[in-house]
Amino acid sequence: YLEAGDYDFAGRPSYSVAPPTTNHAWLTISGAPGTAPESVRITTTSPESALSTRLVRLENLTVHRAELTAPTRLGAAIWFEGCILSASNRTDSVTFAGPTSFTGGVFATHTRVKDTRDGFNGAILERDVALTNIGSDAFDNPGMIVDCTVDGIDSTGTDAHPDVVQYNGCFDNTIVYGLRALGCKSEGIFARDGASSERASNQAFVNVLIELRSSLLGQWLVPCDHLLFWHVTFVGNAFLVADDAGPPPKRTTLRNLSIRNSVFEKLMLDDSIVGDRDRERAVSNNHFIDTASFSKGVAPGDVASRGGSLSTLFTDPSGRDYRPSERSPLRRRVTTLLVPVDAAGRRLVPPAAIGALQ
């Protein structure tokens, strides 16, 4: 337990008693009972005495502008529970904990990340993580996102390439569930494999709401087998699913694609990257606000639901309420449920609405 004050993330020096070796259980470092997370802060990391315990769980405290490391423990992992991770402002780049040092994984639950350039990079699990006032990527190469929120991304005055969710490379078994990202001057989902010749697989985006407020769009440019978007709402700008425009040879192809019960401001889906077997069944029961948004090669498999303004489709988009309005064509469209609840945890009862919120 730590009383109120500022601390160094450090173990004992080499000439003193060795720190605990936690190979099978977590060593929890927590704010003492009765302290607020804001009053107990880790602010520095001493390189000569960095905490090298293998499994470290930080609870009910703040990490402020400190880059935590685990220099001597292969497979070291860190878990933030009920913490605040903060820097000075949205342009301040701080790697609070990364996969290079914590090769056993970074985990965050019930945690706030604020006033910094980026969220976590390569975290295995982020659940109930709230990000506010950031300047670039909210989630970079995440493994699993559950019930997280983003309030504002703004890269103004920086050279950042901001994204709500970014993937670089090819990945297997990643899930984004219950994510609500509002007021984002960024791209939405951005995925590109770079120089990789491998294929991503088993990637799911379910109950995801992304509101873009810039000229940037979302892009999926990675070859993938089993890729699904169920009950997503992407408004503010387009989502491009296409071949990579980078150096040849072009190689983006999608197998077992499923886009269902979703709402898109504009979906630009290049049907040439979807196999003939998948083409008719890939896109089903969605709404496209832009009336010419999707490829005619895939459109016959979908319900012809297009057009309308945000104010007619949603309860109060200017107030960030993206539940379908009472007379919205998004309502009463789902008779066979794919998911039991919406992005806010509300139970779905058939006939349910399409999109991320009921």
Side-chain angles (χ1 to χ4, degrees):
Y1 286 123
L2 302 179
E3 296 290 351
D6 289 355
Y7 293 87
D8 184 19
F9 189 71
R12 297 180 183 275
S14 59
Y15 54 81
S16 185
V17 178
T21 55
T22 55
N23 292 313
H24 306 289
W26 297 89
L27 170 66
T28 296
I29 302 173
S30 173
T35 60
E38 296 84 354
S39 68
V40 181
R41 306 196 313 168
I42 296 174
T43 57
T44 55
T45 299
S46 298
E48 69 276 7
S49 59
L51 190 66
S52 58
T53 301
R54 184 169 179 265
L55 302 176
V56 179
R57 179 176 182 265
L58 302 181
E59 181 180 18
N60 191 45
L61 50 75
T62 293
V63 178
H64 181 69
R65 302 202 77 250
E67 299 193 343
L68 311 185
T69 61
T72 62
R73 282 283 174 181
L74 183 64
I78 191 164
W79 174 9
F80 299 94
E81 160 65 22
C83 291
I84 300 171
L85 278 61
S86 65
S88 299
N89 54 64
R90 60 179 175 80
T91 66
D92 194 0
S93 181
V94 178
T95 302
F96 299 103
T100 302
S101 180
F102 293 98
T103 57
V106 176
F107 305 84
T109 52
H110 309 102
T111 286
R112 288 183 284 163
V113 180
K114 65 176 186 176
D115 305 328
T116 186
R117 172 171 162 156
D118 301 285
F120 291 106
N121 177 9
I124 292 177
L125 170 67
E126 295 176 68
R127 180 172 182 174
D128 189 23
V129 172
L131 299 100
T132 57
N133 190 34
I134 62 173
S136 188
D137 298 333
F139 305 95
D140 192 349
N141 293 340
M144 186 172 186
I145 298 171
V146 181
D147 295 338
C148 294
T149 60
V150 181
D151 186 1
I153 299 176
D154 186 357
S155 63
T156 303
T158 75
D159 59 355
H161 178 283
D163 306 290
V164 177
V165 181
Q166 175 178 257
Y167 291 96
N168 279 308
C170 289
F171 298 86
D172 177 61
N173 192 27
T174 65
I175 296 173
V176 178
Y177 179 89
L179 170 63
R180 288 171 287 169
L182 300 172
C184 299
K185 296 179 180 180
S186 67
E187 295 201 18
I189 296 169
F190 178 81
R192 191 175 188 182
D193 66 340
S196 173
S197 61
E198 300 178 355
R199 176 179 293 277
S201 56
N202 306 315
Q203 297 189 281
F205 299 84
V206 179
N207 284 352
V208 176
L209 167 63
I210 296 178
E211 177 200 54
L212 300 181
R213 294 192 173 182
S214 73
S215 60
L216 301 174
L217 68 164
Q219 299 184 75
W220 188 275
L221 307 172
V222 179
C224 190
D225 188 8
H226 291 99
L227 172 65
L228 66 86
F229 298 89
W230 288 357
H231 282 276
V232 304
T233 299
F234 294 165
V235 295
N237 211 332
F239 184 49
L240 172 66
V241 183
D243 202 355
D244 194 338
K250 295 182 177 180
R251 56 196 176 276
T252 300
T253 55
L254 301 177
R255 302 171 185 167
N256 298 301
L257 172 68
S258 180
I259 304 176
R260 300 180 62 184
N261 301 354
S262 297
V263 183
F264 295 91
E265 180 85 31
K266 184 175 184 179
L267 176 63
M268 297 186 292
L269 176 58
D270 181 356
D271 62 285
S272 67
I273 68 174
V274 182
D276 291 339
R277 186 185 67 173
D278 293 328
R279 191 166 297 178
E280 289 294 323
R281 65 184 182 181
V283 184
S284 176
N285 197 27
N286 304 290
H287 185 91
F288 308 95
I289 300 172
D290 185 294
T291 57
S293 78
F294 53 90
S295 166
K296 62 183 179 180
V298 177
D302 204 354
V303 173
S305 176
R306 316 178 197 177
S309 64
L310 294 182
S311 59
T312 60
L313 295 172
F314 302 105
T315 299
D316 183 16
S318 62
R320 296 180 167 186
D321 187 346
Y322 284 98
R323 294 174 298 163
S325 61
E326 184 60 34
R327 297 185 179 181
S328 173
L330 310 180
R331 293 173 64 89
R332 294 175 284 275
R333 293 270 298 274
V334 180
T335 56
T336 301
L337 298 182
L338 298 175
V339 293
V341 299
D342 73 355
R346 302 182 186 94
R347 182 184 176 190
L348 270 63
V349 178
I354 64 174
L357 294 172
Q358 294 295 297

